[in-house]
Amino acid sequence: MSTMTSEDAFLACIDRHFSNTHPHVLRGRGDDCCELSCPSRMTLSTDLFMQDAHFRLSYFSASDIGHKALAVNISDIAAAGATPLGFSLGLMIPDGTTGAQHFADSYWDDLFAGMAALADTFNVALTGGDLTRAGTFGLCVTVWGGPHYDAPFLRRSGCKAGDALFLVGQTEYAPAGLARTGLLELEARGASAADCYPEAVQAHLRPVPLVHAGQCLAAFQQQHSDARIALMDLSDGLARDLPRLLAAGKGTTGASLILPDAMLHPEVRRWATANGHNAAMHAFSGGEDYALLGSCAPEAVNGLTTALEKTGHRLTLLGTAHGDGGILLNGVPVTAKGFDHFSA
């Protein structure tokens, strides 16, 4: 029987995993409000992470849930080229037959440990939040950040016709479609999917926010004002996020993309072959990649590539934005809309 039957028990568990001191925090958890030492400019983002909408208990470990709930928020800070500073946590604890009293105490320790490990990686402070019993299990994270030194915050806007479109990831392969491959296999096979698609499953369960890559891009924009970098995180797949980037630009309504099979991760290609899908279209549909999608002036591509490689990241050139409506993928018009919670 779990002893996590009171708010104080949960707060004590949180305190075991998260420090209450941080250079950004003047007064931390324990008061009605925290008190922060803030930079003059800040970025802020909020995301929900809900059972069966974003994760399933059948194949997400408690540590995976804690990690990903925070990672998807920090990814938004990365897309601004900012430095993450702190976050607050709203925790909805399920009652009834799937309630908190039916989870062992170690479950909550593991959840907070997974979240705290990622917070420590980026030196992000947990400043407070709220707890409640609810009909479903979920987390709501609000995260904020400040400028990377005095570099500008990057935005989605700025793309112009003729600008280069790119993705930023951590390997030599385009970071599109890998997490979707992991999701589809986890849905079909459960946790055993990791036996056949280990990197895809890891990409879905444990995305890594590309904070240092975003900061590198912000610093490059600061040094090269004509680079014209526009940036966003790739969370809903290229099919949905690329039109958002184009719509935020200046007269950009279409794009021509080249995504050859050799550019895609081997597990993406293997899954597409095994399931009778076009590999490029599977990658384009994507979802939850949490890479960085951007555009820049064509003459900035080489400099950006070199700068990113010094941070251990890779730029994949996708194609070109243009002023004509429609997106071509490998010369073929595409109409895929990508993932949407309200139409899925």
Side-chain angles (χ1 to χ4, degrees):
M1 188 69 173
S2 174
T3 62
M4 304 289 282
T5 56
S6 71
E7 184 172 331
D8 286 343
F10 273 95
L11 294 176
C13 185
I14 289 170
D15 285 341
R16 288 197 297 271
H17 292 281
F18 294 92
S19 171
N20 208 16
T21 60
H22 187 276
H24 173 57
V25 180
L26 301 178
R27 178 175 55 182
R29 301 186 305 276
D31 277 276
D32 292 325
C33 298
C34 63
E35 183 180 354
L36 306 176
S37 175
C38 296
S40 59
R41 295 180 293 126
M42 294 181 66
T43 57
L44 184 144
S45 181
T46 299
D47 276 300
L48 290 167
F49 196 60
M50 304 298 295
Q51 180 182 344
D52 294 331
H54 303 99
F55 66 90
R56 296 199 194 278
L57 296 180
S58 58
Y59 54 75
F60 269 81
S61 71
S63 181
D64 292 335
I65 293 169
H67 172 99
K68 189 167 182 178
L70 180 57
V72 301
N73 280 266
I74 293 179
S75 182
D76 287 331
I77 302 299
T83 298
L85 296 173
F87 72 103
S88 65
L89 170 66
L91 181 60
M92 292 154 273
I93 302 160
D95 52 18
T97 58
T98 61
Q101 65 270 30
H102 295 277
F103 289 115
D105 290 359
S106 60
Y107 187 89
W108 303 104
D109 266 313
D110 289 347
L111 186 147
F112 294 131
M115 183 176 286
L118 185 65
D120 287 346
T121 297
F122 294 107
N123 191 27
V124 180
L126 174 60
T127 63
D130 198 12
L131 308 167
T132 186
R133 293 180 68 179
T136 190
F137 184 11
L139 304 91
C140 180
V141 174
T142 296
V143 66
W144 54 89
H148 176 57
Y149 296 102
D150 58 348
F153 291 139
L154 299 176
R155 303 177 180 181
R156 296 181 183 185
S157 58
C159 184
K160 296 174 63 176
D163 278 359
L165 298 168
F166 62 83
L167 286 173
V168 178
Q170 296 181 292
T171 73
E172 67 270 30
Y173 302 108
L178 189 61
R180 182 171 187 244
T181 300
L183 169 62
L184 294 173
E185 283 298 301
L186 285 164
E187 288 285 286
R189 306 186 190 195
S192 66
D195 296 337
C196 297
Y197 293 91
E199 292 188 46
V201 166
Q202 184 76 358
H204 180 69
L205 298 179
R206 294 264 179 162
V208 178
L210 302 186
V211 171
H212 301 306
Q215 293 170 339
C216 174
L217 292 170
F220 191 93
Q221 178 62 54
Q222 181 183 33
Q223 296 162 9
H224 307 273
S225 59
D226 57 349
R228 209 165 54 244
I229 298 170
L231 197 68
M232 65 182 293
D233 87 321
L234 185 65
S235 56
D236 292 330
L238 280 170
R240 188 159 293 272
D241 285 334
L242 178 57
R244 290 168 174 159
L245 185 78
L246 296 171
K250 300 176 181 178
T252 48
T253 57
S256 298
L257 308 182
I258 301 297
L259 202 59
D261 283 5
M263 190 185 290
L264 303 176
H265 192 283
E267 290 186 14
V268 172
R269 285 180 272 159
R270 179 155 52 86
W271 186 94
T273 299
N275 290 276
H277 285 257
N278 177 279
M281 183 58 67
H282 173 61
F284 181 75
S285 299
E288 300 200 68
D289 295 296
Y290 297 104
L292 298 176
L293 168 64
S295 67
C296 68
E299 56 271 20
V301 169
N302 289 340
L304 275 179
T305 299
T306 300
L308 284 164
E309 286 178 349
K310 291 178 181 178
T311 71
H313 297 88
R314 296 292 292 270
L315 182 146
T316 299
L317 190 61
L318 283 178
T320 305
H322 55 68
D324 300 324
I327 295 175
L328 297 178
L329 177 61
N330 296 335
V332 178
V334 293
T335 58
K337 300 299 183 183
F339 179 78
D340 185 294
H341 280 290
F342 295 95
S343 61

